[in-house]
Amino acid sequence: MIRSFTLADMPGTIPVFPLPGALLLPRARLPLNIFEPRYLAMLDDTLKSTHRLIGMVQPVVVPEGKSDGRLHQIGCAGRVVSFQETEDGRYMITLQGISRFRFRGEKDGFTPYIRADVDWDSFVRDLGKSEIDDAFDRPKFLDVLARYFETAQLSSDWGSLREADEELLVNSLSMLCPFDPEEKQALLEAPSLRNRRETLVTLMEFALAGGEDGAVQ
């Protein structure tokens, strides 16, 4: 059983893992392959903590397509819920999304990885039950998704997509679809499930339109 968290349980400082294009959302799961020495050290330290939380945060992408070292102010923390060490020294882990956070700044210290002061107050709803999207039109959504998958040459288990609840469906697709990092950030920062679903549909329609003139079909 996955541990539940309240706002009082959430630590003021967590390790953060800057990873372009990697999106974690509350109540979703993200598999990670850890191999850099500093992040191996981060995981060792995280497993010794009571909360086992790691913050996923994206570097800011500048116009040249590279990072200038800045991090986005909104990330999402996940709890390590599975762990396996490979024969070559890598760690295969899974994070269960717990809550988004606001990045307040780096913590001074001697760890090889970033420790950040974070604020959870804006995202208390993340710690509650699954969100409901009352305006969700599954047939219309799946029609856009099917056309997008065909264009992007992606495959999926359509039976599972038809049966999945709307939060799992929208969040899983937000994490898995090959959008660019800034588009992933927009999905992360969506204030509600409905807003995220609307953003997701807009991004898929933009891709279908070819993205040439910024119009959405």
Side-chain angles (χ1 to χ4, degrees):
M1 181 177 179
I2 302 301
R3 173 184 168 183
S4 61
F5 286 80
T6 67
L7 187 59
D9 297 322
M10 305 304 286
T13 302
I14 59 171
V16 295
F17 188 4
L19 190 61
L23 176 61
L24 176 64
L25 292 167
R27 290 174 293 279
R29 293 197 170 199
L30 177 67
L32 291 171
N33 176 16
I34 309 294
F35 56 87
E36 288 189 50
R38 56 180 167 169
Y39 297 124
L40 295 174
M42 177 189 70
L43 186 58
D44 287 338
D45 291 343
T46 299
L47 293 175
K48 298 173 187 175
S49 70
T50 57
H51 52 73
R52 300 211 310 264
L53 293 176
I54 293 173
M56 300 300 299
V57 64
Q58 295 203 115
V60 174
V61 176
V62 295
E64 293 77 15
K66 300 179 181 179
S67 173
D68 61 2
R70 291 178 297 151
L71 300 177
H72 276 286
Q73 296 303 297
I74 305 298
C76 185
R79 177 176 168 85
V80 179
V81 293
S82 72
F83 166 84
Q84 180 180 2
E85 185 173 5
T86 65
E87 292 184 357
D88 59 359
R90 293 176 292 117
Y91 290 157
M92 309 292 290
I93 69 170
T94 300
L95 296 181
Q96 172 85 20
I98 301 298
S99 175
R100 288 169 293 174
F101 59 84
R102 191 172 299 277
F103 183 95
R104 293 301 188 191
E106 293 188 26
K107 191 81 171 178
D108 292 334
F110 300 99
T111 58
Y113 54 88
I114 297 172
R115 295 172 68 243
D117 288 327
V118 297
D119 183 354
W120 314 92
D121 291 347
S122 300
F123 307 105
V124 175
R125 186 167 57 176
D126 290 353
L127 299 171
K129 296 180 180 179
S130 297
E131 283 193 70
I132 302 297
D133 179 359
D134 292 330
F136 184 61
D137 184 334
R138 188 180 297 266
K140 183 177 180 181
F141 180 84
L142 291 179
D143 175 67
V144 175
L145 182 65
R147 290 187 287 118
Y148 172 75
F149 270 30
E150 181 179 7
T151 300
Q153 299 183 327
L154 301 172
S155 61
S156 185
D157 180 351
W158 289 100
S160 297
L161 293 179
R162 293 186 182 95
E163 298 296 326
D165 70 70
E166 57 259 37
E167 184 185 65
L168 177 62
L169 179 61
V170 170
N171 285 354
S172 296
L173 290 168
S174 296
M175 293 169 60
L176 293 172
C177 287
F179 302 125
D180 69 36
E182 295 304 309
E183 291 168 337
K184 295 266 190 177
Q185 189 68 25
L187 290 164
L188 173 68
E189 295 186 14
S192 69
L193 182 63
R194 178 173 179 170
N195 296 135
R196 184 170 299 123
R197 185 256 305 164
E198 291 171 345
T199 301
L200 177 61
V201 169
T202 297
L203 291 173
M204 291 191 294
E205 290 181 328
F206 183 82
L208 288 168
E212 295 180 355
D213 57 5
V216 176
Q217 290 182 339

